[in-house]
Amino acid sequence: MNETAIEGVLERYGGAGRDSLIPILQEVQESQGFISREAVVKIGMHLGLPPSKIYGVATFYNQFRFEARGKYHVQVCRGTACHVKGSAALFDAIKRELKIEDGQTTRDGLFSLEVVACIGACGLAPVICVNGEFFAKMTSDSVRALIKEYRDREA
Amino acid sequence: MTDQSQIIIEVNGREVEARPGEMLLAALQRAGIQVPTLCRMEGLLPTGACRMCVVEIEGARGLVPSCAFPVTSSLKVKTHSNRAVQARKTIIELLLANHPDDCLYCVRNGSCELQNLAEDLGVRERRYAGERTRQQLDSSSPSLVRDPEKCILCGKCVRVCEEVQGVAAIDFVGRGSKTVIDTAFRQGLNMSTCINCGQCVVVCPTGALHEQSYAKEIMDAIADPKKVVVVQHAPSISVTLGEEFGMKAGSDVAGALVTALRRLGFDRVFDTSFSADLTIMEEASELVHRVKTGGRLPMMTSCSPGWIKFVEQFYPDLVPNLSSCKSPQQMMGALIKSYFAEREGLDPRQIFSVSIMPCTAKKFEANRPEMAPGGVSDVDAVMTTRELVRLIRKHGLDLKDLPSDTADTPFGERTTAGKIFGASGGVMEAALRTAYKLLTGTELELAAIPAVRGLDGRKELELEIGDLKVGVAVVSGLGNAHKLMQEIQNGRSGLHFVEVMSCPGGCIAGGGQPLHHDTEAVRARMQGLYKLDRESNLRTSHSNEAVQRIYREFLGEPLGEKSHALLHTHYHKRSDVI
C-alpha cells in the first residue's frame, strides 16, 4: 500500500473540513484503485472524523470500492438497455463463475467485479468491460468462455 | 416560566398550555397525552426519523412528526385521529415486514418497544411480507452482541455512541434497503473503537443489541462440586435491583440481594464496595505520592473500563495520567485468588470468581490479558444487573420476600465511601476524604462535598488541603471527557485529580442496568447511595477495619510491593482498532 500517495492527497486538502470528504475519497481511489483501511484512518485523522462515519459515507455511494482491483477488472453494465437484454442473468453467471460479489476481488487477485450503471454502449447490450476493453452481446456461456481464456492466459 | 410566555393550543378539542418554540411532543407529554415514539432520545435533538409521533394538525398538508414540530399559537392538533393512528400502525407493520418472527426466543421478549407498539396499535396479522434480510450475528465482542436482523434502523445506538459518548464506533453503512448499522469495514465490534459501555443496549428498542452472557458458565460452575464459586456485587446494584421487583427506585436491597445470591448457590458473597474502599486507599496514596514527588498530574481514575479503552485509543499520550490502580472489581478478583485462596487453603484454579456489575465493559475488563497474571483470571465471569434479574426470576425468587443477610468475611465489610462509587463524583469524594487524612493527619470536616455530586456531566472544585490548593474535576459521559482531555492536552493547569465515568451519571446509569432508565430512576438510585452515606458512621475508606486488617495480615502498606503486584496494572496505547 502506497501510503505517501494518500498523504499527497491529504496535503492538497490542508485545513479542509468534513465537506471535503467525498472529493478526498475520490482522489484516494483514483490513485490507489480502492479505499483501504489505512486510507480511512488517515483521512479520519485529517478531517477529525471517526472511521465508521467515513466508511458509512463511502458505502452510501456505488463508486467506492474497498478491495484492491484484480488483474482483470470486470465491469458489468446494468443500465436499462442491458437489463432488457438480460444483464441480470449475465451478472449472476459472472458472480457464480468468480465466486465473488459486486465490489469484491477473487482471492488469487485475478478478477474484481464492479457493477456500472450505463457505459453508453447500448447498441452492444448486454455489454461488459474488462480493463477498458468492451465485449458486446454477452451471454452466460460467452462470459464463462472469456473468463476461462483469462485464466488460461495466467496458468 | 411566566404566564405571558405560555400559549394555548388546542389538542383533541381540549386546551393545552405550551411554550412558544418548544417541540409539540414536549407540550403533549406535559399535558399527559401519550404519543408513541421510537427514535426519540431524551436530551438530544429530534431526528424525526421513525414517524411514530405523527399527529394531525389542522391546515398542515400531511401528518406532522410532533417531536420536531415547534409550537406556534392557534395550533389545532389531533393526536389520535383515525388517520394518525392508522399511520402509526402502518409504520409498525412495515417495520415488522422483514423482522424475524422469533419473539418467543428473543432476549427482549416482554421488554421490546417494537413488540409493545405492535400490541398497543393492535397489529394482528402480517399485512406486508417483506423479504427477510439475512445478516451475520456479531458476537466478536466480549461485552456486546449485535443482531442486525432485529435492527429497525432507528439510529439511537449510533447517536448515543457518537453524540453522548464521542466514540462513534458504529454508523449507518450502505444505502436504501441494504442499509445496516455496522462498524468501519464491517469488522465486528471487537476490532472497532467500541469501548463496551453498553449505552447502545440501553437505548435499543429491540433485541438487536444485548450483552454477551456468561450465565451458563456461571451456573455450570455452581453445579460443579469441585468448584468454589464466589460472587461480588458492585455498589450500584443494591440500589437498583429493587425497581425490577416492584420496589421504589433507590431502595437499598443489599440484605435481600445477599440472600438471593446464596440461594442461587454461590458459596461466598462479597461486596465490591469493600474493594472500592481498598481502591481508595491505593488511589489516594498514589495521588499523594504523585503530588509529593512531582509525578504526572492530573491523575485520572481507572475504575471505569470503558474510559480506560477510550484513553488507550484516543489519548495515548495521557495513558501515564491514568492511575495504575486496578478497578474495584479486579482488586477484589485478585484478592479472592490470592489472600482468600490462601486463607481457605484452596488452589486458585478451584475458585470460580463471578462479579455482578451495572456494566457491560466489565466483561471486557475481566477478559483483558493484564487481568490474568500467570494465566489465572482475577475474575472469571461478569454478569450485568439485567442478567441477575433474569436469574433471580428463573429461580423463582422474589427479592421482596427474602430475609436480609450480610456478606461474607473477609471481603464483606464496607464503608459508605466505597458505596458511593456507584454515582458520578463518588470516587472523587471518597478519595478526597482519604487524601485529606493522608496529607493533613486530620479528618475532612465536611458532611458532604456537594460540588462533586449530582448528575451534571461535568463538575469541578478547588479544595484547600493544608497549604495545597487541590483542583479536581469530575466528568461522566465520554463526550464530556473528550472536552476535558482536549483542555488538558492544550495545557490546562491547576488540576490534580480527575474522575471519569464512562456512563452519564456513573455506574447507576451503566450499560448493564435495567433498560430505558429514565433520569428520575437514576436520580433516585443516586439519592439512595447518598442516603446510605448520610446515615452511616463509617464514611471514610481508611476507617474500614477489614481493609486495615488485610494490610496488616497480607498486603503490608498501600503502594507496597504486594499491593503493586496484585492491585496495580499498566495500560497501553491501542492502535489496532478502527
Side-chain angles (χ1 to χ4, degrees):
Chain A
M1 182 73 232
N2 188 351
E3 294 201 2
T4 50
I6 301 168
E7 267 138 24
V9 174
L10 294 179
E11 232 164 70
R12 282 199 294 286
Y13 285 90
R18 56 194 295 162
D19 49 343
S20 300
L21 175 59
I22 290 171
I24 290 176
L25 286 169
Q26 283 168 328
E27 283 195 36
V28 168
Q29 171 144 311
E30 185 73 20
S31 72
Q32 310 289 307
F34 72 111
I35 309 288
S36 65
R37 250 181 83 118
E38 294 76 15
V40 166
V41 171
K42 285 214 158 83
I43 296 169
M45 292 205 293
H46 188 77
L47 297 178
L49 285 173
S52 63
K53 183 123 294 188
I54 296 174
Y55 186 72
V57 168
T59 53
F60 183 88
Y61 298 98
N62 254 335
Q63 58 178 301
F64 298 113
R65 50 183 300 119
F66 304 94
E67 289 183 34
R69 286 185 182 203
K71 185 163 183 190
Y72 299 101
H73 186 59
V74 183
Q75 290 171 302
V76 185
C77 182
R78 291 283 289 118
T80 314
C82 287
H83 178 75
V84 170
K85 290 285 198 173
S87 66
L90 180 65
F91 182 45
D92 279 342
I94 299 172
K95 286 197 289 186
R96 267 199 308 276
E97 188 62 28
L98 297 178
K99 299 189 178 67
I100 53 172
E101 294 290 321
D102 176 28
Q104 295 180 334
T105 304
T106 55
R107 283 211 176 165
D108 57 11
L110 219 47
F111 296 97
S112 51
L113 191 53
E114 181 187 0
V115 168
V116 289
C118 178
I119 47 182
C122 306
L124 310 176
V127 64
I128 71 166
C129 176
V130 182
N131 293 354
E133 194 181 340
F134 285 65
F135 295 88
K137 301 190 172 155
M138 297 301 284
T139 63
S140 302
D141 287 338
S142 64
V143 84
R144 273 194 290 269
L146 182 66
I147 290 168
K148 185 173 182 313
E149 201 185 305
Y150 286 122
R151 280 187 177 143
D152 290 345
R153 203 183 290 176
E154 297 300 322
Chain B
M1 196 63 59
T2 61
D3 282 342
Q4 278 127 2
S5 64
Q6 299 273 16
I7 50 173
I8 303 293
I9 58 172
E10 188 191 308
V11 181
N12 305 336
R14 278 201 299 134
E15 287 191 343
V16 164
E17 284 186 352
R19 297 162 194 163
E22 76 173 332
M23 295 304 156
L24 177 56
L25 182 67
L28 296 175
Q29 286 179 331
R30 224 179 19 253
I33 299 163
Q34 308 264 339
V35 176
T37 59
L38 261 179
C39 71
R40 195 185 84 93
M41 298 179 81
E42 213 178 308
L44 297 186
L45 288 172
T47 58
C50 75
R51 316 309 274 189
M52 277 309 292
C53 65
V54 285
V55 295
E56 215 175 326
I57 292 182
E58 202 177 273
R61 207 155 47 89
L63 294 170
V64 166
S66 56
C67 70
F69 188 84
V71 173
T72 51
S73 52
S74 70
L75 273 187
K76 283 189 177 170
V77 184
K78 284 181 185 157
T79 60
H80 288 77
S81 65
N82 265 344
R83 192 172 158 220
V85 171
Q86 196 52 49
R88 286 179 206 142
K89 186 176 174 189
T90 305
I91 292 166
I92 293 297
E93 288 175 323
L94 286 168
L95 287 174
L96 290 172
N98 70 347
H99 200 79
D101 270 335
D102 65 351
C103 293
L104 272 177
Y105 306 100
C106 181
V107 65
R108 292 291 296 272
N109 188 19
S111 66
C112 172
E113 287 176 49
L114 186 62
Q115 195 182 47
N116 290 345
L117 284 170
E119 165 62 18
D120 291 349
L121 291 163
V123 176
R124 283 288 172 270
E125 59 176 329
R126 190 182 270 277
R127 273 212 296 155
Y128 309 103
E131 194 186 340
R132 272 283 300 281
T133 40
R134 295 286 168 185
Q135 305 274 358
Q136 288 259 320
L137 196 76
D138 176 4
S139 54
S140 63
S141 155
S143 294
L144 305 168
V145 179
R146 290 187 332 110
D147 187 352
E149 287 191 15
K150 290 181 182 161
C151 176
I152 57 169
L153 300 174
C154 68
K156 284 163 95 169
C157 53
V158 173
R159 296 193 73 197
V160 82
C161 194
E162 181 178 353
E163 295 174 39
V164 178
Q165 297 296 58
V167 171
I170 45 175
D171 207 335
F172 289 94
V173 167
R175 176 171 57 176
S177 62
K178 294 200 169 72
T179 307
V180 289
I181 285 168
D182 214 323
T183 58
F185 287 87
R186 310 191 70 164
Q187 294 193 111
L189 281 177
N190 204 30
M191 287 292 286
S192 76
T193 51
C194 169
I195 52 143
N196 308 295
C197 70
Q199 287 298 315
C200 55
V201 177
V202 178
V203 297
C204 181
T206 73
L209 282 159
H210 56 90
E211 65 274 286
Q212 190 78 264
S213 179
Y214 303 90
K216 187 182 179 301
E217 286 85 338
I218 295 169
M219 295 323 285
D220 285 351
I222 286 177
D224 183 344
K226 291 192 289 294
K227 292 268 183 207
V228 175
V229 186
V230 302
V231 64
Q232 55 169 311
H233 60 89
S236 57
I237 308 292
S238 77
V239 291
T240 305
L241 209 55
E243 292 164 37
E244 295 290 297
F245 294 90
M247 282 175 252
K248 233 176 76 206
S251 328
D252 180 45
V253 295
L257 168 61
V258 172
T259 305
L261 292 171
R262 289 198 204 290
R263 294 203 185 165
L264 287 172
F266 290 102
D267 297 308
R268 296 296 170 90
V269 181
F270 298 134
D271 188 341
T272 313
S273 306
F274 161 86
S275 52
D277 278 333
L278 189 65
T279 305
I280 287 300
M281 294 303 289
E282 295 290 330
E283 202 158 1
S285 304
E286 187 185 353
L287 177 64
V288 169
H289 180 77
R290 286 191 191 213
V291 169
K292 283 188 172 162
T293 60
R296 184 87 169 242
L297 293 172
M299 187 173 90
M300 299 173 185
T301 57
S302 56
C303 308
S304 183
W307 152 245
I308 297 287
K309 185 163 183 261
F310 181 87
V311 177
E312 289 176 318
Q313 63 198 21
F314 297 134
Y315 296 97
D317 55 318
L318 295 179
V319 166
N321 291 62
L322 289 171
S323 160
S324 66
C325 291
K326 288 184 183 176
S327 70
Q329 160 177 287
Q330 294 305 132
M331 283 200 183
M332 175 72 89
L335 286 178
I336 285 169
K337 300 250 171 132
S338 57
Y339 176 67
F340 172 75
E342 232 169 73
R343 216 177 105 120
E344 304 279 314
L346 293 167
D347 175 359
R349 286 168 206 277
Q350 238 180 302
I351 301 173
F352 192 86
S353 177
V354 178
S355 67
I356 295 161
M357 293 284 142
C359 181
T360 47
K362 287 283 167 193
K363 294 173 188 262
F364 168 82
E365 183 185 40
N367 267 295
R368 288 182 70 117
E370 300 92 327
M371 303 299 173
V376 181
S377 301
D378 288 344
V379 173
D380 293 292
V382 180
M383 200 184 332
T384 60
T385 319
R386 292 191 294 271
E387 292 175 271
L388 176 66
V389 171
R390 274 180 231 136
L391 198 60
I392 291 176
R393 292 213 176 107
K394 188 175 174 180
H395 285 254
L397 301 171
D398 188 337
L399 276 192
K400 279 203 299 294
D401 307 331
L402 293 178
S404 190
D405 199 349
T406 49
D408 288 303
T409 46
F411 313 129
E413 277 176 52
R414 58 137 177 92
T415 74
T416 51
K419 194 70 182 167
I420 59 174
F421 262 57
S424 159
V427 177
M428 179 59 72
E429 187 163 346
L432 286 177
R433 289 176 189 171
T434 291
Y436 193 91
K437 166 84 177 175
L438 288 175
L439 281 165
T440 65
T442 54
E443 298 290 340
L444 179 62
E445 294 293 331
L446 283 175
I449 310 179
V452 298
R453 294 187 177 186
L455 295 178
D456 291 343
R458 176 156 174 176
K459 296 161 276 187
E460 295 198 13
L461 170 72
E462 252 188 16
L463 187 73
E464 299 211 7
I465 303 185
D467 46 8
L468 184 71
K469 209 175 236 173
V470 177
V472 303
V474 173
V475 290
S476 67
L478 292 175
N480 295 317
H482 261 313
K483 292 184 202 122
L484 182 63
M485 292 310 115
Q486 279 152 17
E487 286 170 27
I488 290 171
Q489 279 183 327
N490 292 335
R492 180 176 168 178
S493 60
L495 275 181
H496 294 82
F497 193 29
V498 172
E499 178 204 298
V500 182
M501 290 295 156
S502 302
C503 296
C507 308
I508 43 175
Q513 292 279 65
L515 298 161
H516 321 304
H517 44 227
D518 53 286
T519 318
E520 282 323 299
V522 172
R523 193 181 303 280
R525 293 171 201 160
M526 175 186 77
Q527 283 159 351
L529 289 175
Y530 287 128
K531 180 167 176 278
L532 288 172
D533 184 52
R534 208 164 49 240
E535 292 167 354
S536 162
N537 46 17
L538 284 176
R539 305 178 60 226
T540 55
S541 297
H542 51 272
S543 63
N544 186 328
E545 188 37 47
V547 167
Q548 295 301 345
R549 189 168 57 234
I550 202 169
Y551 275 116
R552 280 196 306 272
E553 289 179 7
F554 184 67
L555 288 170
E557 52 174 354
L559 307 184
E561 201 183 317
K562 221 163 193 173
S563 287
H564 255 292
L566 287 168
L567 309 181
H568 291 255
T569 186
H570 290 285
Y571 300 106
H572 308 282
K573 171 184 173 167
R574 272 173 203 272
S575 51
D576 52 341
V577 289
I578 181 164

